[in-house]
Amino acid sequence: MPKAKTVYVCRVCGRRAVRPLGRCPQCGEWNTYEPVVEGPEKGATGAPRGRTPVPLAEVPAREAVRWPVPMPEVARVLGGGLMPGSLILLGGDPGIGKSTLLLQVAMALAQDRKVLYVSGEESAVQIRLRAQRLRPEGAFPQNLYLLAETHLETIVHGVDQVAPQVLVVDSIQTVYQPDLEGVPGGVTQVRESALRFQQLAKSREMAVFLIGHVTKEGVLAGPKLLEHLVDTVLYLEGDRFQTFRILRSVKNRFGPTSETGVFEMTDRGLREVPNPSEVFLAGRVVDAPGSAIAVTMEGTRPMLIEVQGLTSPSPYGQPRRTAIGLDPYRMQLVLAVLTRRVGLRLGDQDVFVSVVGGLRIQEPAVDLALAVAVASSLQDRPVRADMVFIGEVGLSGELREVGHLAARVQEAAQLGFRAAVVPRVLSSRKPRWPEGLEVIEARTLRQALRHALV
Ligand code: TYD
Ligand code: MG
């Protein structure tokens, strides 16, 4: 009988080596070698016995059944439901609402299945108090179990005892294996624990949620380290001082990525927002200069948002430019185009732009609304209140096409807007515009501004 021995296997490409290699010569990834103990049960070649290859045509075409998630905004982000056996990472800044969200999800799922919520951050009493806040009328599901524990083996034992279908680990940074080197939250501990939960998920057909904190630097032993290892990566984002939260999928083996769910943090936990455009526009002051409505895409969903701009004579030689919720580089670019191609005098002005509601918008399709908001403030002329603005601004002052134009215009029409300024569309690609909304195609930013300001 061959003796048990340790070999090292690349997690990415499966190459084997007798010692851990810094860089895999086969796939080029760094630090991917992990020890695998090969016991006497292994085959004669030393390769572990396990599954055998199957012809593609004989693999069942049916996807495993997803478990329904009774929170529609969460279900949408997961790609329609929860895959049994999947490992899901939820990242986000401390205090953003990760524990709140997953406790709500746990309570909702526990109507139909057994759920174990493991917390290394809070005591069972604290979690109970939070649950009471979420459901003041009481009525907790019988199938939801709590375990306040950080020791991995004890957690695994808890899983054996409860045999849950859904496991929540809050957070992966607190899970600890004393026989491993490294501090809790360190690279080794986090990765080894996550691998263990991955095995548990697959072997028990259990869906596992791991919470991971993102630190200020965004690096950390946490979400980034685990992204390749898990099936699904979700981020909960928002401004802590604002009430809106966006749940975003950045990776999903079982569904579309860049899908989003929108929530509002209330005193009874996160409330789902099925109609974000209406909510984001709720506080708008019509006819005030410096406000323009953009239509941004969050995944497959168009969303109307208010972009505000404020210009103010600069008391210093070096005027200030501040962007909140928008890309500062795109703001700089748009301001330069307004100066050089439209002829606005912005050189002696402080400029502030922001997105209302605490959202963070990266896409260039909001350029036009940003430009309109700034021009409106500078000239102290309000923007047409029933108009939306869609388009990327190019360096020559031209408006450039953006994706999903028809869906964006449709959303504006649905919310009662009467006009949309958009980039010129090639006639062969012209969609059918919705009734009751005038679509104005503008070739340049200058033309667009002429239609925008009253
Ligand atoms: P939490 O879920 O603890 O954040 P994380 O796990 O991401 O660190 O929630 C953080 C904040 O949410 C906390 O400051 C309190 C607030 N909160 C509410 O406003 N309403 C609520 O019902 C709950 C449970 C929390
Ligand atoms: Mg927490």
Side-chain angles (χ1 to χ4, degrees):
M1 286 274 264
K3 284 233 304 270
K5 66 169 186 181
T6 300
V7 297
Y8 293 83
V9 178
C10 173
R11 195 171 57 230
V12 176
C13 69
R15 189 183 182 278
R16 296 154 59 83
V18 291
R19 59 189 173 81
L21 305 179
R23 184 170 191 204
C24 176
Q26 185 160 304
C27 67
E29 295 291 321
W30 289 89
N31 301 324
T32 52
Y33 278 81
E34 276 154 13
V36 174
V37 179
E38 298 201 326
E41 76 279 10
K42 303 287 147 53
T45 59
R49 284 209 189 103
R51 296 190 182 131
T52 44
V54 254
L56 172 65
E58 286 171 26
V59 177
R62 191 179 49 87
E63 203 187 43
V65 180
R66 286 172 199 266
W67 295 333
V69 178
M71 295 174 69
E73 292 292 300
V74 178
R76 149 209 286 286
V77 176
L78 288 171
L82 197 54
M83 274 311 247
S86 66
L87 186 62
I88 300 152
L89 175 67
L90 174 64
D93 293 335
I96 202 70
K98 300 179 296 299
S99 303
T100 305
L101 179 67
L102 285 190
L103 185 58
Q104 283 179 250
V105 169
M107 291 208 283
L109 288 170
Q111 304 297 347
D112 298 323
R113 33 198 109 245
K114 253 192 204 175
V115 182
L116 174 60
Y117 189 107
V118 177
S119 180
E121 311 229 335
E122 287 153 315
S123 68
V125 175
Q126 281 174 307
I127 299 166
R128 154 97 204 203
L129 288 174
R130 173 177 289 145
Q132 240 157 344
R133 193 170 164 184
L134 302 172
R135 284 207 188 156
E137 69 281 7
F140 298 135
Q142 290 298 313
N143 275 335
L144 176 57
Y145 293 78
L146 302 182
L147 174 64
E149 183 56 61
T150 57
H151 198 303
L152 182 71
E153 294 312 325
T154 315
I155 295 170
V156 173
H157 184 62
V159 170
D160 285 338
Q161 282 178 308
V162 174
Q165 288 173 287
V166 180
L167 173 69
V168 178
V169 179
D170 184 2
S171 64
I172 188 69
Q173 276 107 346
T174 57
V175 178
Y176 188 64
Q177 288 173 270
D179 52 335
L180 269 180
E181 62 184 76
V183 291
V187 175
T188 310
Q189 290 283 350
V190 165
R191 194 179 48 207
E192 293 304 314
S193 307
L195 279 167
R196 194 65 187 277
F197 287 119
Q198 186 191 41
Q199 287 163 0
L200 275 180
K202 303 285 177 247
S203 64
R204 291 180 157 269
E205 289 280 283
M206 167 177 77
V208 178
F209 287 94
L210 303 178
I211 289 180
H213 297 297
V214 181
T215 58
K216 267 276 166 286
E217 301 76 39
V219 264
L220 61 28
K224 288 280 175 248
L225 178 78
L226 299 178
E227 278 183 4
H228 65 273
L229 191 145
V230 302
D231 299 305
T232 302
V233 180
L234 310 179
Y235 276 97
L236 188 62
E237 302 176 353
D239 184 332
R240 261 220 290 160
F241 303 103
Q242 302 259 5
T243 56
F244 292 109
R245 301 286 182 271
I246 303 247
L247 182 67
R248 207 183 284 279
S249 78
V250 299
K251 166 181 173 177
N252 195 349
R253 283 192 186 138
F254 308 117
T257 47
S258 74
E259 204 48 89
T260 53
V262 181
F263 302 84
E264 189 175 5
M265 184 60 96
T266 70
D267 55 0
R268 288 184 55 182
L270 289 159
R271 189 180 68 82
E272 298 185 90
V273 180
N275 52 345
S277 298
E278 279 169 38
V279 178
F280 290 137
L281 298 185
R284 181 162 78 115
V285 183
V286 172
D287 290 339
S291 155
I293 306 302
V295 190
T296 184
M297 294 301 294
E298 287 290 352
T300 54
R301 174 158 60 171
M303 237 183 246
L304 271 69
I305 50 155
E306 181 185 357
V307 178
Q308 293 187 334
L310 178 67
T311 62
S312 161
S314 176
Y316 311 108
Q318 182 79 8
R320 277 189 295 171
R321 273 86 174 85
T322 308
I324 299 168
L326 289 162
D327 180 354
Y329 297 104
R330 293 223 64 88
M331 173 190 63
Q332 300 277 9
L333 184 150
V334 169
L335 296 184
V337 173
L338 280 171
T339 305
R340 290 294 308 283
R341 308 291 179 207
V342 184
L344 297 189
R345 286 183 58 100
L346 288 164
D348 55 358
Q349 300 283 322
D350 288 342
V351 181
F352 306 88
V353 296
S354 84
V355 172
V356 176
L359 298 187
R360 265 177 262 166
I361 312 291
Q362 293 288 345
E363 65 158 357
V366 301
D367 285 358
L368 178 57
L370 165 60
V372 169
V374 171
S376 159
S377 174
L378 182 76
Q379 302 185 345
D380 211 22
R381 290 162 67 193
V383 178
R384 253 185 79 175
D386 58 356
M387 191 177 251
V388 298
F389 301 92
I390 304 163
E392 177 180 348
V393 171
L395 291 183
S396 317
E398 81 279 20
L399 283 192
R400 309 183 68 102
E401 277 190 64
V402 299
H404 307 284
L405 184 60
R408 297 181 204 246
V409 170
Q410 184 65 41
E411 174 78 0
Q414 253 160 30
L415 284 151
F417 283 80
R418 308 300 300 274
V421 179
V422 306
R424 210 163 60 165
V425 186
L426 289 178
S427 54
S428 61
R429 283 201 267 158
K430 216 157 274 192
R432 267 204 30 211
W433 303 120
E435 304 249 318
L437 181 133
E438 181 194 6
V439 175
I440 302 164
E441 294 181 26
R443 208 166 43 76
T444 64
L445 177 54
R446 189 190 274 272
Q447 283 176 1
L449 286 172
R450 237 181 273 138
H451 291 285
L453 303 179
V454 294

